[in-house]
Structure formats: C-alpha cells, structure tokens
Amino acid sequence: MSRTPPPLRADFPAFLPMQTRWNDNDEYGHLNNATYLELFDTAITYWQMENGIDVRGPDAWRFVVVENGCIYFREVGFPDKLEAGLRITRMGSSSYRIEVALFRDGEDEAASLGFFVNVLTGNDARPRPMPGDLRGRLARISVT
C-alpha cells in the first residue's frame, strides 16, 4: 500500500496560527494523538467564527461530526509554533468534508493532515440542507 504524501502549504486557501502547549506533549516527547484532534477542531471553529458562522448561542449552526481521522507525517510537539491550513474538499447538500493540515512555522510540507465530515442538522438532530449564505461562506476555502 502506498503512503499518502504530505500536502503542501500551497494546497490550502486559509491559515490560522496554533501554539502548542507544554501539556500537549506525551511521554514520548511529542504531541499527544488526542491533541491533534483538539487542534483541528479549534482551528475549524476559529475559522468559522472569523467568517461569520455562528458556533454558539441561539443562532448557532448545529453541525454534527460523523467521521474524522488523521494522517501523521512527522512529529511535532511543544514548543513548536504551528499553522493550521484549512480546505474543504467535498460539499454535499447537508454535509462537507474539511481538512486541516498542521505545518511547523516556515515549513512547506504538512506534519499531519486531519479531516472532519460535518453534517448540518436541525433541532430534531436530522440532516437539513445548507442554505445558500452558509454554503457561500464555506465555499471560500473549497478546493473542489
């Protein structure tokens, strides 16, 4: 089985700075696996907030994660300064797949690549179609 090559900075339309913390390291001295997912989720949430997608409060969009994962290319850990590159690789009527790559400051190849598949749901927890304005905001980082 061939290994997926690390994506490059040029493959991502949006970036956010992410700082590792002392307690992010595990016993082996690198970033704990669970911390990667926390960083991915935080980067996605910040990007949503910066682009007018409410994530808290009465007007918040209700996205449910139905799938996620991560590919590791090289170790990172505290005190690395990271940048999260974001891109949407698939958009359906009620769902989208967003990928987040973590890059060490100044490096062109990603250290890791994570993904989330999010489904927009209503108060009844059932999928609902994404309205045009929400779809337009997400399309800002679409590479499909």
Side-chain angles (χ1 to χ4, degrees):
M1 179 166 77
S2 63
R3 181 150 164 78
T4 301
L8 303 175
R9 276 184 189 275
D11 299 329
F12 294 84
F15 287 87
L16 290 161
M18 304 297 290
Q19 178 59 57
T20 57
R21 304 163 305 171
W22 172 254
N23 68 329
D24 292 339
N25 287 358
D26 63 15
E27 184 65 25
Y28 303 111
H30 59 256
L31 213 63
N32 188 293
N33 291 339
T35 303
Y36 282 87
L37 293 176
E38 291 176 3
L39 288 170
F40 299 150
D41 193 39
T42 299
I44 292 167
T45 302
Y46 272 128
W47 183 87
Q48 289 172 327
M49 291 168 37
E50 288 178 358
N51 285 275
I53 300 172
D54 291 330
V55 295
R56 298 188 75 172
D59 297 325
W61 295 102
R62 181 185 156 104
F63 289 106
V64 176
V65 176
V66 297
E67 185 180 356
N68 65 31
C70 182
I71 302 170
Y72 305 97
F73 302 107
R74 62 182 49 87
E75 290 183 0
V76 299
F78 179 82
D80 288 333
K81 292 180 181 175
L82 305 174
E83 290 180 284
L86 292 95
R87 66 184 179 191
I88 291 180
T89 58
R90 187 179 69 232
M91 224 182 316
S93 61
S94 62
S95 67
Y96 67 94
R97 177 186 166 112
I98 186 166
E99 295 183 351
V100 182
L102 295 180
F103 296 88
R104 277 197 193 105
D105 195 23
E107 292 186 1
D108 284 330
E109 285 190 350
S112 63
L113 177 65
F115 75 91
F116 285 76
V117 176
N118 291 326
V119 176
L120 180 64
T121 65
N123 291 334
D124 60 357
R126 298 187 50 83
R128 63 176 267 207
M130 283 188 276
D133 62 328
L134 175 60
R135 182 177 293 282
R137 291 170 197 260
L138 295 170
R140 293 175 187 168
I141 59 169
S142 177
V143 295
T144 59

